[in-house]
Amino acid sequence: MALDNYTYRTFTYLAGDWTGDSAAIEMLHTWNSGHKWGLSFKDIHSETQSSDDSHNCSIKASLRKRMKLCKKFVIVVGSETANLRSGACYTCFWYKKPDMYNLMPGCYLNNHVDNRSYVQFECEMAKHDYDNNDMDIVVLYNSVNVNRNLCPEPLRWVGTHAAMKKKVTDYLGNNHIEWDYDSVKKAIG
């Protein structure tokens, strides 16, 4: 079904560093589709995808359209999430650098210049919707600790924050790290 056919906020918006934290994001999908798990959400990105050759500005427009259909924003935060630059206009082929004739950056397609990354853009939209009581925010850390300094600034002090991993001691007294389904389930609800 096309996104235009939906009218209610019934989806979950999943965000994060799809390269550095792909294992954590994939674990969320595994738990969501697993029959023995109680985690259940409908990821808006499963309904539609932007093509890789889309312009940053058209991808951001598509992300906004998707977010308007979501009641929950879940971001997976790893060590590089707040530093991502993918999606900034200056990374686009059509970006016009300032020069001696034009002191301001521009776009060869005459679009507005927006140098926020996709993640920063998503977080600011989610914060806006959260402030208007339209969306719940869940921040999941790809770690055993909640480290708000790694969280993108707009979401650092809002929503529910939880670790996705836990330290476990086996019967021999050895410590290891494993996924913490219960923590994630409690946070997402």
Side-chain angles (χ1 to χ4, degrees), residues 75 77 81-83 120 123-124 127 130 137 139 141 146-161:
I75 183 169
V77 172
T81 307
N83 301 321
Q120 186 72 21
C123 289
E124 289 178 15
K127 175 70 165 68
Y130 174 85
I137 293 175
V139 181
Y141 294 83
V146 170
N147 182 351
R148 291 178 189 253
N149 291 326
L150 296 176
C151 183
E153 181 63 36
L155 305 183
R156 198 166 283 170
W157 303 106
V158 299
T160 302
H161 293 246

Side-chain angles (χ1 to χ4, degrees), residues 85-113:
R85 295 311 315 148
S86 180
C89 282
Y90 69 80
T91 66
C92 181
F93 175 77
W94 300 107
Y95 178 72
K96 230 190 294 189
K97 293 180 184 176
D99 58 28
M100 60 191 260
Y101 303 108
N102 295 304
L103 300 178
M104 299 297 293
C107 175
Y108 286 110
L109 300 174
N110 292 322
N111 291 323
H112 172 73
V113 174

Side-chain angles (χ1 to χ4, degrees), residues 121-137:
F121 179 76
E122 292 166 324
C123 289
E124 289 178 15
M125 285 190 302
K127 175 70 165 68
H128 176 269
D129 289 352
Y130 174 85
D131 288 344
N132 289 317
N133 295 319
D134 290 331
M135 182 176 286
D136 295 327
I137 293 175

Side-chain angles (χ1 to χ4, degrees), residues 1-11 68-69:
M1 184 183 302
L3 288 183
D4 294 334
N5 295 334
Y6 292 104
T7 55
Y8 299 106
R9 289 179 174 263
T10 58
F11 291 93
K68 287 184 178 194
L69 297 171

